[in-house]
Amino acid sequence: MKFYNRENELEILTKADKLKSEKSIMTMLIGRRRIGKTTLALQSFSKDKVLYFFVSKKSEQLLCEEFVEELTNKLEIKLFGKLTKFEELFEYILELGKTKTFTLIIDEFQEFFKINESIYSSIQKLWDLNKNKTNIHFITCGSVYSLMKKIYEDKNEPLFGRCDFKIDLKPFKVSVLKEILKDNNSYSNENLLDFYLLTGGVAKYIELFSLHKSFDLNSMIDTIIEPNSIFLDEGRNRLIEEFGKEYGTYFSILSLIASSKTSRSEIESILERNISGHLSRLENDYSIIKSIKPINAKPNSKVQKYEIIDNFLAFWFRFIFKYQSLIEAESFDRLKEIIKRDICTFKGRFLEKLFIELLKEKQTFTNIGSYWERNNQNEIDIVAIDDIDKKLLICEVKLNEKKLSHNDLVIKAQNLVKEYKEYEIEYKLLSLKDI
């Protein structure tokens, strides 16, 4: 698959790479698993040589052996003696950086916590001593948000404040998904919605569907639900490491949110326990969910809902985690039937998300969100506000355009409109044909 988008991120990497001629530069590259961090880091933004170290679950000595092999091959040097501690190896790399310019990428950087946590202190000490005398672009990649934030944003950690550049890699935008479908002669409005729903713009999922030539809903579901598919264990593989021993509680919460139990009170009534701490960590530490308030709500308002940020994870918890017994029984055809039966009800909310993403890409509104009143009364799917030109866009979104009603939308918006008396009001009815 060709390399799409990422112009802004490549610009940052190119800028950082040029600056290493003056002194060594450290760049933090974070993003959820499968988002394309490694592919981005290995793009040819530099004319200098690139060392790539992957921190796998091995002993420090074995990792150093692998890293030394990469070092001697790429930089074409001979190393006499044995380096069994990362501190020794990093010191040697910095020494080389006094006479050579190169890029050093360490992937899954947060894994050093499990191997030898003191490595971060060693890096900090050696970096501070040598960064002004060396010419290295040091890129650290990490996919466990909570740990990467701890490494670089916790003032008690040794690498706090050491980064010169930070890239938080996000999923591809809807416009890029449209380009990919067109490149594969598979574009239609419906395919775009389904492709957005099942990939969420995550590079690895797009790559897998492209490999299988799966660009419509039925073929994508067939690719996901088959023996040995990596999609079947994706939620566990991505999240169990993040959550640790409490993963069961977190999985239960996410499963309920994916099944439209989106308020704290709904979730707590089912689980029969207080989950405020779990919701806070899911949002602030793990960046897996986000809280949503009515667009005009006051900052201290308690009226809010939660949604899973990652589209595929929402799908995984709604259909794969929920029906795990069918997977264990290898009843793949039965599970496909259930998904195809229920997916229309599920994907309605993703049509709203897709339209919100398209509005954001226009960059003409200062605030975009949803609106509802207490007890979920007068729900409005999309409200977009332009505070500069004093415009208010109010949208109703339905998969089936026959269910759209202009009069109903105007009635539901009465209380909202009262707060924007000086604004030009526009009402829109949106369905698949309007993408």
Side-chain angles (χ1 to χ4, degrees):
M1 191 177 95
K2 79 175 191 181
F3 187 77
Y4 286 91
N5 201 243
R6 308 304 194 200
E7 289 86 0
N8 293 337
E9 292 84 357
L10 281 172
E11 192 176 320
I12 293 170
L13 289 173
T14 303
K15 181 179 179 181
D17 188 73
K18 288 178 180 176
L19 288 173
K20 77 175 187 293
S21 63
E22 301 172 22
K23 70 178 188 70
S24 285
I25 299 293
M26 189 186 296
T27 299
M28 174 176 68
L29 174 54
I30 63 170
R32 68 193 78 169
R33 282 193 171 95
R34 318 292 198 190
I35 205 73
K37 298 182 299 298
T38 304
T39 302
L40 172 64
L42 291 173
Q43 290 301 302
S44 55
F45 55 84
S46 173
K47 295 179 181 178
D48 296 312
K49 294 184 177 179
V50 176
L51 303 178
Y52 176 76
F53 295 172
F54 181 84
V55 185
S56 53
K57 295 177 175 66
K58 296 180 179 179
S59 69
E60 185 175 354
Q61 181 176 342
L62 288 176
L63 281 177
C64 285
E65 287 178 13
E66 288 182 10
F67 297 166
V68 165
E69 185 175 353
E70 170 77 355
L71 175 70
T72 54
N73 288 340
K74 289 286 179 66
L75 296 186
E76 299 174 343
I77 58 171
K78 289 186 177 181
L79 181 63
F80 299 99
K82 207 169 186 181
L83 299 176
T84 58
K85 297 287 185 184
F86 186 81
E87 180 176 0
E88 299 169 344
L89 177 58
F90 194 65
E91 185 174 18
Y92 181 65
I93 290 170
L94 289 169
E95 192 62 34
L96 290 172
K98 293 177 181 178
T99 55
K100 297 175 182 287
T101 59
F102 54 89
T103 295
L104 168 63
I105 301 168
I106 300 186
D107 207 347
E108 297 300 349
F109 188 60
Q110 76 281 338
E111 290 300 313
F112 281 136
F113 268 117
K114 297 177 181 176
I115 295 162
N116 179 359
E117 192 172 337
S118 69
I119 285 173
Y120 299 113
S121 297
S122 300
I123 290 173
Q124 176 255 312
K125 177 187 70 177
L126 292 167
W127 186 257
D128 288 351
L129 287 171
N130 293 281
K131 65 180 178 181
N132 292 319
K133 299 179 285 186
T134 54
N135 304 103
I136 297 170
H137 184 192
F138 180 26
I139 302 174
T140 63
C141 301
S143 55
V144 180
Y145 264 85
S146 54
L147 293 181
M148 288 299 285
K149 279 188 168 185
K150 177 182 169 70
I151 291 167
Y152 284 107
E153 297 178 12
D154 185 336
K155 63 183 180 181
N156 296 316
E157 292 297 316
L159 290 177
F160 174 76
R162 294 309 191 281
C163 269
D164 301 289
F165 294 91
K166 174 183 174 181
I167 298 174
D168 188 349
L169 200 59
K170 301 295 185 184
F172 289 132
K173 293 180 178 179
V174 174
S175 56
V176 180
L177 299 185
K178 186 182 290 190
E179 181 186 351
I180 293 167
L181 287 173
K182 287 182 175 179
D183 285 349
N184 287 277
N185 300 313
S186 299
Y187 180 79
S188 70
N189 287 2
E190 190 164 3
N191 281 357
L192 177 59
L193 172 59
D194 296 332
F195 201 54
Y196 171 71
L197 163 63
L198 291 175
T199 68
V202 174
K204 185 63 177 179
Y205 305 150
I206 293 168
E207 183 182 356
L208 289 169
F209 287 135
S210 298
L211 181 67
H212 290 87
K213 305 298 180 188
S214 301
F215 299 108
D216 63 87
L217 183 62
N218 285 338
S219 62
M220 284 190 284
I221 291 173
D222 288 342
T223 299
I224 293 168
I225 311 300
E226 65 177 7
N228 304 313
S229 164
I230 73 158
F231 290 104
L232 297 180
D233 288 322
E234 181 67 358
R236 286 187 183 80
N237 291 341
R238 279 179 56 180
L239 299 179
I240 283 182
E241 185 177 356
E242 289 262 20
F243 298 153
K245 294 178 181 178
E246 275 203 278
Y247 80 88
T249 301
Y250 286 113
F251 273 39
S252 297
I253 293 169
L254 292 170
S255 181
L256 290 169
I257 293 173
S259 298
S260 299
K261 303 293 187 290
T262 57
S263 71
R264 175 183 163 186
S265 58
E266 284 180 301
I267 299 169
E268 288 185 339
S269 68
I270 294 169
L271 297 182
E272 298 182 335
R273 61 175 294 183
N274 183 301
I275 56 156
S276 59
H278 293 83
L279 290 171
S280 175
R281 287 188 288 276
L282 280 169
E283 181 171 16
N284 300 313
D285 294 342
Y286 303 129
S287 298
I288 290 168
I289 66 171
K290 66 177 179 181
S291 57
I292 304 168
K293 295 183 179 183
I295 197 161
N296 63 342
K298 295 177 181 177
N300 59 350
S301 171
K302 294 183 179 179
V303 180
Q304 64 181 13
K305 300 175 182 179
Y306 293 91
E307 73 170 26
I308 298 172
I309 295 171
D310 184 292
N311 289 6
F312 181 79
L313 277 183
F315 172 85
W316 191 88
F317 278 102
R318 172 63 180 83
F319 291 107
I320 297 177
F321 181 70
K322 182 176 182 178
Y323 296 105
Q324 187 63 38
S325 59
L326 290 178
I327 294 170
E328 291 174 1
E330 299 184 1
S331 299
F332 299 110
D333 289 339
R334 176 65 179 140
L335 180 53
K336 289 178 188 178
E337 287 174 15
I338 291 171
I339 294 172
K340 291 172 185 179
R341 181 194 71 195
D342 297 342
I343 194 87
C344 278
T345 304
F346 177 72
K347 72 179 180 179
R349 77 186 85 158
F350 292 92
L351 183 58
E352 297 169 24
K353 282 184 70 174
L354 187 148
F355 276 117
I356 288 173
E357 292 301 318
L358 289 172
L359 287 171
K360 285 180 179 178
E361 287 194 43
K362 289 183 177 180
Q363 298 186 359
T364 56
F365 296 99
T366 52
N367 195 7
I368 303 174
S370 303
Y371 173 83
W372 68 95
E373 296 164 12
R374 284 196 176 276
N375 300 318
N376 291 327
Q377 296 298 304
N378 295 324
E379 288 187 85
I380 299 173
D381 298 323
I382 301 174
V383 178
I385 303 169
D386 179 356
D387 286 319
I388 298 169
D389 292 330
K390 303 293 182 184
K391 292 181 180 181
L392 183 68
L393 175 64
I394 300 171
C395 306
E396 183 81 357
V397 181
K398 299 285 185 190
L399 279 169
N400 184 352
E401 64 178 305
K402 293 178 181 178
K403 293 183 178 180
L404 292 166
S405 168
H406 183 272
N407 288 339
D408 288 350
L409 180 58
V410 172
I411 291 168
K412 287 194 293 186
Q414 283 179 328
N415 292 332
L416 173 65
V417 168
K418 288 176 185 177
E419 300 182 30
Y420 296 91
K421 292 178 181 177
E422 298 177 4
Y423 284 62
E424 177 188 332
I425 311 296
E426 181 183 2
Y427 297 92
K428 270 192 177 181
L429 305 177
L430 301 172
S431 64
L432 263 179
K433 68 180 179 62
D434 300 299
I435 293 176

